[in-house]
C-alpha cells in the first residue's frame, strides 16, 4: 500500500482505536479514571466512552475543585461574608454550590450582599486598591493550575501594601487524592488519565512516584478527542508492559513542570490535611497560607466557627466523585437535580460529572 | 476549570505583558514564566501565563479550539 493510501486509510484516530481494540481484546475489565473537569467534559462531549471497547471503562474522579470543596467551606464563606460584612470576590462556579443547609453564595447575593465574579485574582488587587475603605474576601479555589496564581497574587498584595484584601484558601492538590483513591478498594482504578494543565505546573514526577509505588499507570493527557484516545492507548500499553508514567500532552507539559510556579507556591503556602467532599480528609492535600503571609489569611481575619456539615440528602455526589457511582445512578437526576436547580456540586459546576452527563449523555424519555 | 488559552506576547515590561489572543488584546502577568519575552507563545490561565510553548504547538491548540467552536 502506498504512503498516501496509508495516510488516508489510517487517520490518527483510526490508528489509536485499532491499537486500543487490539490490546483491549486480551484484557479483562479496565477502569481508567480522569481527574480533571475539562477531561470530564471533553470525554462526554466527544462520546469517547461509547467509542471504546466495552471492557474499557472511563470513570470521572474528583477533578473539579468546586465539586470537592466541602459544605463546611461553603458555610464558612457565607458566614465570613455575613458576619464581617465583607465583599466577596470569586470565580463563578462556586456561587451556586450549596452549603450544609442549602444556602449558597448566589442566594446571599440575591439578598443584597456584594458578591462579584472575577476572571483573575489580579482583578482582586485592582478592586481592593480602588476601594481602600472596603474589605474584600477572595475565595481561592483550584488545584495546582490556580494555586501558584493565587500565591503570586498574595505576594503582589503584600508588595502593594494592601490592607483590605484577604484570601480564603480552599486549594487542593491532585496527586494525594489520586493516591487515596488507589488505596480505596471500592474504587478499583487501573490507571489515571492525568490532568493537562495541572501537570504543566507539577510536571511528571508526582505521577512517576505513584507508578513506582503502586504500579499505577499514569498518562498526562490533552483535551481533544484524539488526545484522550492516544492517552487511553498509552495507558493500555502501560497495563500490558508495566506502569511507567508518561506524557501524551507534550505540546503543553514538560517533564519538569514549571519550577518557578512551584517555588512561588511553596513560598506562600504550607501543605496541610484537607477535607474533600465525598472522600473525606486526605493528608497533605490542601494548601494553607504560611505565617509570613498570615495578614492576608481570611481564616484568621474573618474567623468563624466551623461546624461539621450535617447533610441528609439523596445526593450521591460523594460516590460519583470517587468513581463508585455514575450520574445515571443518582435518583435525583432528571427528577429533582437539574443544571438550573442543582442539588449537588457535581451538577452546579460547569465541569462537574453530573453537568457533563446531563448535557451530553442524558437520554430523557418523552413524557 | 482547567482551561488555558495559547497567546502570543506582543509587548512585555517586567511581569506585565500584552498578549494577542486572536484579534483580542489582553493584559496578563508573566510572573510564573519569567523567561518569556515578546514574540513568545504562552498558555494563559486566569490572567497568568503558566507555561511557554512553541509556535507549532500553539497553532495546533488554536486550531483545536476553532474546530470545537465551529462544531
Amino acid at each position: 500500500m502506498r504512503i498516501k493510501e496509508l495516510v488516508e486509510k489510517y487517520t490518527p484516530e483510526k490508528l489509536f482505536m485499532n491499537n486500543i481494540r487490539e490490546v483491549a481484546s486480551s484484557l479483562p475489565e479496565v477502569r481508567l479514571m480522569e481527574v480533571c473537569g475539562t477531561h470530564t467534559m471533553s470525554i462526554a462531549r466527544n462520546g469517547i466512552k461509547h467509542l471504546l471497547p466495552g471492557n474499557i471503562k472511563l470513570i470521572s474522579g474528583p477533578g473539579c475543585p468546586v465539586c470537592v470543596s466541602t459544605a463546611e467551606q461553603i458555610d464558612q464563606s457565607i458566614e465570613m461574608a455575613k458576619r464581617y460584612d465583607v465583599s466577596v470576590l470569586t470565580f463563578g462556579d462556586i456561587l451556586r454550590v450549596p452549603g450544609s443547609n442549602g444556602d449558597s453564595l448566589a442566594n446571599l447575593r440575591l439578598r443584597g450582599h456584594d458578591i462579584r465574579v472575577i476572571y483573575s485574582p489580579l482583578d482582586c488587587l485592582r478592586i481592593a486598591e480602588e476601594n481602600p475603605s472596603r474589605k474584600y474576601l477572595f475565595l481561592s479555589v483550584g488545584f495546582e493550575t490556580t494555586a501558584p496564581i493565587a500565591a503570586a497574587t498574595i505576594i503582589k498584595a503584600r508588595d502593594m501594601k494592601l490592607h483590605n484584601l484577604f484570601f480564603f484558601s480552599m486549594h487542593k492538590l491532585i496527586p494525594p487524592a489520586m493516591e487515596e483513591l488507589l488505596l480505596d478498594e471500592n474504587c478499583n482504578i487501573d490507571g489515571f488519565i492525568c490532568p493537562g494543565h495541572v501537570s504543566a505546573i507539577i510536571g511528571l514526577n508526582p505521577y512517576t512516584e505513584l507508578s513506582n509505588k503502586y504500579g499505577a499507570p499514569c498518562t498526562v493527557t490533552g483535551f481533544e478527542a484524539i488526545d484522550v484516545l492516544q492517552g487511553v492507548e498509552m495507558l493500555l500499553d502501560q497495563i500490558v508492559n508495566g506502569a511507567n508514567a508518561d506524557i501524551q500532552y507534550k505540546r503543553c507539559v514538560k517533564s519538569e513542570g514549571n519550577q518557578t510556579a512551584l517555588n512561588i507556591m511553596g513560598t506562600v503556602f504550607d501543605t496541610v490535611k484537607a477535607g474533600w467532599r465525598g472522600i473525606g480528609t486526605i493528608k497533605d492535600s490542601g494548601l494553607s497560607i504560611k505565617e509570613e503571609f498570615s495578614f492576608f489569611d481570611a481564616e484568621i481575619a474573618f474567623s468563624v466557627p466551623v461546624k461539621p456539615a450535617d447533610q441528609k440528602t439523596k445526593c450521591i455526589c460523594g460516590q460519583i466523585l470517587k468513581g463508585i457511582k455514575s450520574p445515571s445512578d443518582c435518583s435525583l437526576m432528571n427528577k429533582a437535580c437539574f443544571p438550573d436547580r442543582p442539588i449537588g456540586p457535581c451538577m452546579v459546576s460547569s465541569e462537574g460529572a453530573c453537568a457533563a452527563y446531563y448535557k451530553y449523555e442524558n437520554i430523557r424519555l418523552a413524557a | 476549570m482547567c482551561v488555558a488559552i495559547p497567546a502570543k506576547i506582543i509587548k512585555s515590561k517586567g511581569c506585565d505583558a500584552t498578549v494577542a489572543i486572536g484579534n483580542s488584546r489582553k493584559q496578563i502577568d508573566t510572573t510564573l514564566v519569567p523567561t518569556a519575552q515578546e514574540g513568545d507563545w504562552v498558555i494563559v490561565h486566569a490572567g497568568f501565563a503558566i507555561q511557554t510553548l512553541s509556535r507549532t504547538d500553539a497553532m495546533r491548540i488554536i486550531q483545536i479550539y476553532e474546530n470545537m467552536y465551529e462544531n
Side-chain angles (χ1 to χ4, degrees):
Chain A
M1 193 179 287
R2 292 179 180 178
I3 294 292
K4 183 170 181 279
E5 288 165 321
L6 275 170
V7 169
E8 285 171 355
K9 184 175 179 181
Y10 293 106
T11 60
E13 292 89 344
K14 285 182 183 171
L15 271 171
F16 297 143
M17 281 307 304
N18 285 345
N19 291 342
I20 288 169
R21 286 193 197 98
E22 186 176 332
V23 175
S25 65
S26 63
L27 294 172
E29 181 176 280
V30 172
R31 286 166 55 88
L32 303 175
M33 176 179 272
E34 42 84 1
V35 286
C36 169
T38 310
H39 277 142
T40 306
M41 289 309 254
S42 176
I43 289 167
R45 182 173 55 244
N46 292 296
I48 303 283
K49 291 179 186 177
H50 306 290
L51 290 176
L52 297 174
N55 60 325
I56 309 300
K57 308 290 186 189
L58 298 188
I59 315 152
S60 293
C64 163
V66 167
C67 301
V68 297
S69 296
T70 61
E72 288 88 348
Q73 287 176 318
I74 303 300
D75 293 344
Q76 260 184 290
S77 303
I78 294 170
E79 190 60 24
M80 282 179 186
K82 283 169 26 180
R83 189 177 290 208
Y84 293 91
D85 190 28
V86 294
S87 296
V88 178
L89 306 172
T90 177
F91 298 125
D93 273 4
I94 204 160
L95 276 184
R96 294 189 304 143
V97 177
S100 58
N101 62 358
D103 202 4
S104 68
L105 290 159
N107 287 343
L108 189 63
R109 186 163 70 171
L110 284 174
R111 299 200 291 271
H113 204 91
D114 183 19
I115 299 177
R116 304 179 218 179
V117 173
I118 52 100
Y119 160 68
S120 167
L122 292 175
D123 297 331
C124 301
L125 300 174
R126 175 183 52 79
I127 293 169
E129 190 179 39
E130 290 174 356
N131 302 277
S133 61
R134 183 85 184 143
K135 288 186 180 176
Y136 293 91
L137 163 65
F138 173 58
L139 304 181
S140 204
V141 180
F143 295 131
E144 290 94 329
T145 323
T146 315
I149 290 170
T153 306
I154 290 172
I155 292 172
K156 287 177 188 292
R158 181 197 61 185
D159 294 344
M160 292 168 67
K161 296 184 172 52
L162 289 177
H163 291 275
N164 59 333
L165 177 60
F166 304 88
F167 297 73
F168 179 17
S169 173
M170 292 188 265
H171 291 292
K172 294 180 173 59
L173 306 174
I174 282 284
M178 293 167 66
E179 183 169 18
E180 185 77 10
L181 294 171
L182 278 171
L183 293 170
D184 188 332
E185 59 189 22
N186 293 314
C187 296
N188 290 319
I189 297 163
D190 299 305
F192 284 105
I193 299 170
C194 300
H197 297 135
V198 161
S199 304
I201 301 294
I202 68 175
L204 192 61
N205 196 47
Y207 310 120
T208 301
E209 289 180 5
L210 286 175
S211 286
N212 291 342
K213 192 172 178 182
Y214 299 103
C218 294
T219 297
V220 177
T221 305
F223 300 107
E224 203 204 0
I226 192 172
D227 290 319
V228 176
L229 289 178
Q230 188 176 26
V232 169
E233 187 206 31
M234 291 167 75
L235 282 167
L236 295 183
D237 183 69
Q238 289 185 49
I239 287 173
V240 171
N241 295 312
N244 185 21
D246 54 11
I247 301 173
Q248 181 277 336
Y249 195 31
K250 286 193 166 81
R251 57 188 186 271
C252 266
V253 177
K254 300 172 184 168
S255 294
E256 66 272 22
N258 182 333
Q259 198 56 50
T260 301
L262 291 170
N263 290 342
I264 288 173
M265 243 170 76
T267 298
V268 174
F269 291 118
D270 282 323
T271 303
V272 294
K273 65 180 180 184
W276 292 61
R277 192 186 292 241
I279 299 176
T281 301
I282 303 176
K283 72 170 189 174
D284 299 331
S285 70
L287 295 177
S288 174
I289 296 175
K290 280 185 170 172
E291 190 177 345
E292 182 186 345
F293 297 91
S294 61
F295 175 84
F296 300 99
D297 191 341
E299 290 192 85
I300 297 173
F302 308 133
S303 175
V304 294
V306 181
K307 299 174 199 171
D310 179 28
Q311 291 185 290
K312 295 187 179 73
T313 175
K314 291 181 183 175
C315 171
I316 61 167
C317 277
Q319 295 178 78
I320 290 170
L321 287 165
K322 291 173 79 170
I324 295 171
K325 297 274 188 189
S326 74
S328 59
D329 295 324
C330 184
S331 63
L332 301 176
M333 175 65 71
N334 289 320
K335 293 189 176 67
C337 189
F338 301 89
D340 62 335
R341 285 169 279 151
I343 291 177
C346 296
M347 183 65 89
V348 171
S349 172
S350 60
E351 292 198 326
C354 296
Y357 173 83
Y358 188 92
K359 189 170 182 180
Y360 296 112
E361 300 179 77
N362 195 13
I363 299 173
R364 296 181 286 282
L365 298 174
Chain B
M1 189 175 289
C2 212
V3 177
I5 310 290
K8 183 176 181 178
I9 298 176
I10 57 174
K11 195 174 174 184
S12 178
K13 185 178 179 183
C15 61
D16 296 321
T18 303
V19 295
I21 301 174
N23 294 326
S24 301
R25 300 290 180 264
K26 195 164 177 59
Q27 302 302 313
I28 67 158
D29 192 292
T30 57
T31 299
L32 302 183
V33 283
T35 58
Q37 304 170 31
E38 286 181 25
D40 287 345
W41 285 86
V42 293
I43 49 172
V44 177
H45 173 71
F48 280 75
I50 62 169
Q51 189 57 277
T52 54
L53 64 168
S54 70
R55 182 181 181 280
T56 305
D57 290 334
M59 290 295 109
R60 174 65 183 147
I61 296 171
I62 290 169
Q63 185 183 30
I64 291 167
Y65 282 140
E66 285 177 350
N67 288 342
M68 285 164 58
Y69 182 73
E70 284 170 9
N71 291 330

